[in-house]
Amino acid sequence: MVRAERRERAPSPPRISDATLRDSAHMAGVEFGPEDAAAIAELLVRTGVELVEVGMVSGPDSKDTDLVLATHEAVGPERSMTLVVVRDRRQVARALDEAERLGVRHLMYSIPTSERHARLKLDSASPKYVEKLARSAITQAKDRGFHVTFSGEDGARTPKERLVPYVTAGFEAGADRFRIAETVAYLSPWQMEEVVADLVAIDGSEIEIHSHNMLGMAVANSLAAVRAGAQWISATVGGIGERGGNAPLAELLTSLRVIHGDTRFDLTHLTELSRIALRGAGLGDAFQSGPTTPHAFSYELPGQLSHPEAYETLPAELVGNTRELRVRSRLTPALVTWALADSGLLVDVDAFTPWLVQRQERAGRPLLDRDAIRKAAVEFRPA
């Protein structure tokens, strides 16, 4: 007897944004070039991805300028979205000036919403302060004609009584879409449904899910968010990304095909996309998600190394892993200071850092970890 085919119809077919050229590109030690950006963006659009998230803009001379411009050249600014980190009003104004100069049309604000992340990054855990900051940033961008997505960084760990008023305030200020970021893998699919259902109930809301894969549930949580009414899913090619990776695009699109009968996407480009992204990221033939990989607890931002509890629901030591620094060109004195701590090496960090940056450039930006930085410190001879 042949069992009847069973498919669950999605409440509404989700729209897909891809964050490979932003989230994956800011994974520790990963740096895509403009050629990679153009090739990845073109294939994403051919696949049927609606929006290509690329780079980060913080002000003049942003390091991701070449990626943003290459993506605009390949698929146009209307198919691109660029991230702006929100810390204060003046910083936002500088970032918007640069976004306008680059021709950005869609931007995504990264704003910490959990008490832990707000205290760490904004020096204030006050929910009213976070709401005020979001309203100000959104109003500035809408006054300039941008399409605005605003996020809840660490939103999955933000209590309902704190998150819902924040999201409500953002839409009242004129935002077009809200992205709930499962910055650290934290929720089960059934918990995700409950969280998203509360957000979908907000008047005028349009909701996107951005999930990380440390627990292996990013695709499941993305589909659960759609089941609850989310209209957008954020993914990355190969699942490449920080903290155990992101929702992998291929698994997401094939799940939509098999589970929901969704045939909107041209899946024939997925293998080539993965090949190009893995090559550009320098990750070999495959990216493995989860907590036991060498990159799972690797960072290139000083705050992540100094305050790992804000970015980890499980410590590296629990699974026998270690926390590590991985960096190519984004070397800073703060990272060098962390790498040299407890080593017994005494160097002038302010002199050593630019010396090491110059050596990195001459050598083609090889991957640096803590041991490599310490070895370089032994070899350092100040002028």
Side-chain angles (χ1 to χ4, degrees), residues 4-263:
E5 183 178 5
R6 295 178 60 191
R7 279 182 175 160
E8 179 181 334
R9 182 172 296 279
S12 178
R15 301 159 81 177
I16 307 297
S17 67
D18 182 275
T20 305
L21 297 174
R22 196 274 301 172
D23 205 322
S24 305
H26 292 118
M27 176 182 165
V30 173
E31 296 181 13
F32 290 111
E35 291 184 4
D36 296 319
I40 290 169
E42 286 179 355
L43 285 172
L44 286 170
V45 170
R46 288 185 202 170
T47 300
V49 169
E50 191 158 338
L51 205 56
V52 178
E53 187 179 349
V54 55
M56 180 187 304
V57 171
S58 55
D61 302 319
S62 295
K63 291 184 177 180
D64 291 333
T65 293
D66 289 345
L67 286 187
V68 173
L69 293 177
T71 303
H72 286 183
E73 181 70 22
V75 300
E78 295 300 330
R79 300 296 293 266
S80 307
M81 179 170 67
T82 298
L83 181 138
V84 172
V85 174
V86 173
R87 294 295 178 262
D88 60 60
R89 184 180 178 86
R90 268 188 287 183
Q91 172 263 318
V92 168
R94 289 194 302 271
L96 294 180
D97 287 343
E98 181 67 359
E100 285 187 326
R101 187 185 74 81
L102 296 176
V104 171
R105 299 285 182 271
H106 295 255
L107 61 83
M108 202 280 286
Y109 279 136
S110 177
I111 307 173
T113 54
S114 71
E115 183 176 346
R116 178 180 294 169
H117 274 238
R119 181 179 290 110
L120 177 63
K121 297 176 181 180
L122 303 177
D123 294 325
S124 173
S126 164
K128 294 298 182 185
Y129 176 73
V130 177
E131 290 174 25
K132 181 180 178 181
L133 187 63
R135 285 181 182 272
S136 172
I138 291 165
T139 300
Q140 287 186 71
K142 294 305 295 183
D143 285 347
R144 298 193 191 207
F146 287 102
H147 182 283
V148 178
T149 297
F150 71 114
S151 81
E153 185 183 348
D154 203 27
R157 291 193 297 184
T158 304
K160 173 182 177 179
E161 59 271 17
R162 184 182 177 98
L163 185 62
V164 170
Y166 165 79
V167 177
T168 301
F171 282 114
E172 288 175 350
D176 300 282
R177 181 161 70 250
F178 172 73
R179 171 186 286 178
I180 178 168
E182 195 178 18
T183 304
V184 294
Y186 184 69
L187 299 177
S188 67
W190 44 95
Q191 290 170 319
M192 181 64 77
E193 281 198 50
E194 292 181 7
V195 171
V196 171
D198 290 332
L199 303 179
V200 170
I202 296 170
D203 187 44
S205 65
E206 183 174 296
I207 306 300
E208 177 174 357
I209 173 63
H210 175 85
S211 189
H212 280 258
N213 207 32
M214 185 70 91
L215 303 180
M217 292 191 290
V219 169
N221 281 353
S222 298
L223 295 179
V226 171
R227 183 184 176 94
Q231 296 101 320
W232 287 80
I233 299 175
S234 171
T236 66
V237 177
I240 302 170
E242 301 175 286
R243 295 179 296 281
N246 295 79
L249 181 68
E251 285 89 323
L252 176 65
L253 296 187
T254 52
S255 292
L256 287 172
R257 174 75 64 96
V258 172
I259 296 170
H260 296 305
D262 190 339
T263 59

